C-alpha cells in the first residue's frame, strides 16, 4: 500500500476523495478540494471513452467491412461489445466494493485500452469481433466506476451540481461521435477510430493514479461469488441475444429464440437462489427491499428503453422523410440533447440547494410520455422546426431522469454497497436500451414492410432495403416509390413512438410512489432533519 493510500485510510476526511470529517457519506461545508475537481475531470474523460466508442465505430463500419470483409458477421461487431459490457457491469461493481474502487477502475480502463489497441490491429472480422468483446469487458467497468467513485467522493446532496457535467458529456458523445468518426475514417483510416481511445485513456489513467485517493479496503479474504457471476452472465447474455436476434436473425417462435429464453430464465432463477445463500453476492437482493432503489431500477430501465429507441429512429426519420444528410446525423439530435443537458443542470442545482427531488421523476416521466406522444404524430408533412420542438420536450423529460435515477439509487444503498447499487442501476438502463432498440425496431420494420408490400412494383423493391435508405438513395427512386417509402417510414415511426409512450406511462405511475428520503451530506438541514449515519440509509420501504 502506498504512503498516500495509508494516509487516506487513516484520515479519509482529508483525502481527495473524502467528504468531510464523517467520510464520503457525511455532511460537508465549505469548498471541495481542487484535487476532487481534477479527479472529476479524469472521470468525465473515462465516461466519454465509454459513450463515444460505439458512436465513432458505427460511422466507420462501412469502411471496416470494405477492408476486412465478413458482411454476414457485421452485427457481431456491435453485439459482442454490448454482450461483454452488460455481462461484466455487475461484476466490476462488486469487485470495487470488495477490493477498492480505485484499483478496479484503473484495471477496467487498462482492459478497455488493450481491447481498443487489439481492435485497431485486427486483420479479419473474427479477430475484430473477439477484440471488441475484450473492449466491452473493460467498458463494463468504466461507467460503473465513474458513478461509484462519484458516489464515494461527493455526498448525494452535493452531487446534483455535477449532473449538468455528466449530461454534457453524454450530449458531446452523441453529437460529436459520428462527426469525429467520419473525420477520422476519411483522413486517418478506420483503425484510428479505435486508436483514438489510447491517448484519452492514458490521460485518464495518469490523472486518476496521481490524484484520486480513496480509503483503502481490507477485504482480501472475501470470496468472489463465481457461481452467481456465471449464472448472471448466462442470463444477461441470453436476454441480449433474444432482443438482438428476435425478429431479425431468427423468428420469435424459432427453436433458437425459445431455447435462449428458456436458458435465460433458468439462469436468472438459479442466480436469485444463489444470491440468497452466498456470503458475498454479486448483486445483494436486500438492496431491492428499499422501495426507492427498486423504483429507480424500473424507471432507469424505461428511460433506457425510450432513449435508445429515440436515438435509433429520430435520425432515420429525418434522413428518410425530411431529407437530412446522414453525414451530420449527430446534429439531428441537437434539440433533444441540448434540452436534456440544460434541464439536467437545472434539476441538479435545485436538488443541491433544496435537497428535494421527488418532483423531478414525476415531471421527467410526464414530459417523456408527452414528448413520445408528440413524436408519434409526425408524418411526411412535419417540418424540422416542429420535430425539433417535439424532441426538446422528450429531451427535457430525459434530463429530469438521467442522473436523478442514479442519485436516488445511490442514496438508497449503504456505502458498502455503492458499487453494486451503481452497477445494478446501470445494468437495468442498459437492458432497457437493448429491449427498446429490439422491440421498437421490430415494430418499426414490420410496419414499414407492411406499408410497402401493399403497393407492389418499384415500391415493394424499396422494402427490401429494410428501411435503411438514406436521402441520397431515396433521390434515385421514382417519385411514386419515394413518396410511398417516406409514408411507410412515418407510419413505422408513429407505431414505434406510440409504443414508447405507452411504456413510458409505467414510469410516470411509478414516479408517484417514490418516497423523498433526505439526501446524505451537504447543504443545510431542514428543521427536525437528522443526517443518516455513515454507511446507513433511511429506508423507503
Amino acid at each position: 500500500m502506498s504512503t498516500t493510500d495509508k494516509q487516506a485510510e487513516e484520515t479519509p476526511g482529508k483525502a481527495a476523495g473524502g467528504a468531510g470529517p464523517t467520510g464520503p457519506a457525511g455532511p460537508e461545508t465549505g469548498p471541495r478540494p481542487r484535487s476532487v475537481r481534477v479527479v472529476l475531470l479524469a472521470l468525465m474523460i473515462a465516461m466519454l471513452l465509454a459513450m463515444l466508442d460505439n458512436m465513432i465505430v458505427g460511422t466507420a463500419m462501412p469502411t471496416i467491412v470494405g477492408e476486412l470483409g465478413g458482411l454476414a458477421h457485421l452485427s457481431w461487431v456491435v453485439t459482442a461489445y454490448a454482450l461483454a459490457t452488460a455481462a461484466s457491469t455487475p461484476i466490476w461493481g462488486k469487485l470495487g466494493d470488495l477490493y477498492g474502487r480505485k484499483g478496479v477502475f484503473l484495471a477496467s480502463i487498462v482492459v478497455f485500452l488493450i481491447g481498443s489497441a487489439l481492435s485497431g490491429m485486427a486483420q479479419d472480422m473474427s479477430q475484430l469481433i473477439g477484440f471488441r468483446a475484450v473492449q466491452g469487458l473493460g467498458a463494463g467497468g468504466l461507467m460503473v466506476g465513474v458513478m461509484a467513485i462519484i458516489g464515494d467522493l461527493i455526498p448525494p446532496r452535493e452531487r446534483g451540481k455535477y449532473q449538468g457535467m455528466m449530461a454534457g458529456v453524454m450530449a458531446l458523445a452523441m453529437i460529436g461521435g459520428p462527426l469525429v468518426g467520419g473525420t477520422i475514417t476519411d483522413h486517418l483510416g478506420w483503425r484510428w477510430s479505435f486508436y483514438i481511445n489510447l491517448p484519452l485513456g492514458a490521460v485518464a489513467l495518469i490523472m486518476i493514479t496521481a490524484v484520486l485517493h480513496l480509503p483503502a479496503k481490507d477485504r482480501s479474504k472475501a470470496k468472489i461469488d463465481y457461481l452467481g457471476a456465471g449464472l448472471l452472465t448466462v442470463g444477461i447474455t441470453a436476454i441480449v441475444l433474444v432482443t438482438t436476434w428476435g425478429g431479425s436473425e431468427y423468428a420469435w417462435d424459432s427453436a433458437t429464440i425459445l431455447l435462449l429464453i428458456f436458458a435465460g430464465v433458468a439462469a436468472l432463477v438459479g442466480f436469485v437462489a444463489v444470491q440468497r445463500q452466498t456470503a458475498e453476492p454479486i448483486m445483494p437482493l436486500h438492496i431491492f427491499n428499499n422501495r426507492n432503489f427498486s423504483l429507480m431500477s424500473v424507471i432507469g430501465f424505461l428511460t433506457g428503453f425510450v432513449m435508445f429507441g429515440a436515438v435509433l429512429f429520430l435520425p432515420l426519420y429525418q434522413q428518410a422523410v425530411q431529407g437530412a444528410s446522414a453525414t451530420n446525423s449527430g446534429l439531428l439530435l441537437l434539440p433533444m440533447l441540448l434540452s436534456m443537458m440544460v434541464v439536467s443542470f437545472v434539476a441538479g442545482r435545485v436538488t443541491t440547494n433544496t435537497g428535494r427531488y421527488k418532483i423531478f421523476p414525476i415531471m421527467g416521466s410526464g414530459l417523456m410520455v408527452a414528448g413520445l406522444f408528440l413524436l408519434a404524430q409526425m408524418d411526411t408533412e412535419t417540418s424540422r422546426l416542429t420535430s425539433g420542438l417535439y424532441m426538446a420536450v422528450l429531451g427535457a423529460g430525459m434530463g429530469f431522469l438521467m442522473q436523478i435515477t442514479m442519485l436516488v439509487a445511490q442514496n438508497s444503498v449503504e456505502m458498502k454497497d455503492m458499487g453494486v447499487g451503481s452497477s445494478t442501476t446501470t445494468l437495468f438502463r442498459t437492458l432497457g436500451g437493448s429491449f427498446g432498440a429490439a422491440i421498437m425496431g421490430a415494430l418499426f420494420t414490420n410496419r414499414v414492410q407492411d406499408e410497402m408490400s401493399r403497393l407492389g412494383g418499384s415500391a415493394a423493391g424499396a422494402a427490401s432495403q429494410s428501411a435503411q435508405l438514406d436521402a441520397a438513395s431515396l433521390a434515385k427512386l421514382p417519385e411514386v416509390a419515394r413518396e410511398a417509402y417516406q409514408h411507410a417510414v412515418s407510419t413505422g415511426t408513429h407505431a414505434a413512438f406510440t409504443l414508447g409512450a405507452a411504456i413510458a406511462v409505467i414510469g410516470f405511475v411509478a414516479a408517484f410512489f417514490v418516497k423523498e428520503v433526505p439526501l446524505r451530506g451537504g447543504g443545510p438541514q431542514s428543521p427536525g432533519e437528522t443526517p443518516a449515519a455513515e454507511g446507513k440509509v433511511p429506508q423507503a420501504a
Side-chain angles (χ1 to χ4, degrees), residues 184-319:
I184 289 176
T185 303
D186 290 341
H187 295 89
L188 298 176
W190 67 265
R191 297 183 186 277
W192 277 95
S193 62
F194 296 104
Y195 293 151
I196 191 65
N197 294 326
L198 302 182
L200 288 174
V203 170
L205 277 174
I206 293 170
M207 293 175 68
I208 291 170
T209 301
V211 182
L212 178 62
H213 307 299
L214 295 173
K217 292 179 182 284
D218 184 18
R219 302 183 68 176
S220 57
K221 296 181 180 179
K223 295 182 179 179
I224 299 177
D225 177 20
Y226 291 108
L227 178 58
L231 289 170
L232 183 61
T233 300
V234 171
I236 292 174
T237 300
I239 290 173
V240 174
L241 287 178
V242 166
T243 56
T244 303
W245 287 348
S248 56
E249 295 287 329
Y250 302 96
W252 285 105
D253 58 353
S254 67
T256 300
I257 296 299
L258 294 177
L259 181 61
L260 283 171
I261 293 174
F262 174 79
V265 171
L268 293 178
V269 170
F271 170 75
V272 171
V274 170
Q275 298 310 282
R276 293 182 181 278
Q277 299 175 1
T278 187
E280 286 289 350
I282 289 291
M283 188 184 294
L285 299 182
H286 67 78
I287 61 178
F288 293 101
N289 292 334
N290 185 287
R291 181 207 300 175
N292 277 1
F293 185 86
S294 296
L295 289 172
M296 289 304 109
S297 297
V298 171
I299 294 173
F301 177 92
L302 298 174
T303 303
F305 188 105
V306 168
M307 187 185 75
F308 281 87
V311 170
L312 179 63
F313 296 113
L314 283 172
L316 195 155
Y317 168 83
Q318 291 193 306
Q319 290 172 41

Side-chain angles (χ1 to χ4, degrees), residues 90-249:
I91 299 173
W92 284 113
K94 186 60 179 181
L95 289 175
D97 286 341
L98 287 176
Y99 301 113
R101 254 173 275 289
K102 178 179 178 179
V104 171
F105 184 55
L106 291 175
S108 71
I109 296 177
V110 170
V111 173
F112 181 82
L113 296 182
I114 290 173
S116 298
L118 291 174
S119 295
M121 294 186 288
Q123 299 302 308
D124 56 47
M125 192 62 77
S126 297
Q127 288 184 10
L128 181 60
I129 291 169
F131 296 150
R132 283 282 284 168
V134 175
Q135 195 183 20
L137 288 175
L142 292 182
M143 285 295 291
V144 172
V146 168
M147 295 302 177
I149 290 173
I150 288 176
D152 277 351
L153 289 177
I154 305 166
R157 180 70 177 269
E158 296 290 320
R159 212 170 296 154
K161 294 179 183 178
Y162 304 98
Q163 287 182 199
M165 183 188 301
M166 289 183 277
V169 169
M170 180 180 297
L172 178 64
M174 290 184 175
I175 296 172
L179 298 175
V180 172
T183 302
I184 289 176
T185 303
D186 290 341
H187 295 89
L188 298 176
W190 67 265
R191 297 183 186 277
W192 277 95
S193 62
F194 296 104
Y195 293 151
I196 191 65
N197 294 326
L198 302 182
L200 288 174
V203 170
L205 277 174
I206 293 170
M207 293 175 68
I208 291 170
T209 301
V211 182
L212 178 62
H213 307 299
L214 295 173
K217 292 179 182 284
D218 184 18
R219 302 183 68 176
S220 57
K221 296 181 180 179
K223 295 182 179 179
I224 299 177
D225 177 20
Y226 291 108
L227 178 58
L231 289 170
L232 183 61
T233 300
V234 171
I236 292 174
T237 300
I239 290 173
V240 174
L241 287 178
V242 166
T243 56
T244 303
W245 287 348
S248 56
E249 295 287 329

Side-chain angles (χ1 to χ4, degrees), residues 292 351 355-361 408 514-517 519:
N292 277 1
T351 301
R356 304 298 180 187
Y357 55 82
K358 179 175 180 176
I359 187 63
F360 296 133
V408 176
V514 174
K515 182 178 181 181
E516 195 160 57
V517 177
L519 297 174

Side-chain angles (χ1 to χ4, degrees), residues 317-357:
Y317 168 83
Q318 291 193 306
Q319 290 172 41
V321 179
Q322 296 181 327
S325 168
T327 304
N328 299 323
S329 57
L331 296 176
L332 301 176
L333 299 174
L334 196 57
M336 182 179 74
L337 297 173
L338 285 179
S339 174
M340 182 179 69
M341 182 170 60
V342 171
V343 170
S344 181
F345 174 78
V346 172
R349 298 299 299 189
V350 172
T351 301
T352 295
N353 293 335
T354 67
R356 304 298 180 187
Y357 55 82

Side-chain angles (χ1 to χ4, degrees), residues 413-484:
V413 299
E414 299 181 17
M415 291 301 297
K416 68 182 181 67
D417 292 325
M418 185 65 70
V420 293
S422 302
S423 65
T424 301
T425 306
T426 302
L427 176 63
F428 272 93
R429 186 178 297 174
T430 301
L431 292 178
S434 179
F435 273 87
I439 297 174
M440 293 174 73
L443 180 61
F444 173 86
T445 301
N446 289 337
R447 289 301 299 270
V448 169
Q449 292 178 341
D450 287 346
E451 289 292 318
M452 297 299 290
S453 63
R454 293 177 188 173
L455 300 172
S458 59
S464 64
Q465 301 295 322
S466 300
Q468 297 301 317
L469 292 174
D470 56 20
S473 300
L474 278 170
K476 300 176 182 177
L477 292 176
E479 183 177 355
V480 174
R482 181 171 62 253
E483 292 179 354

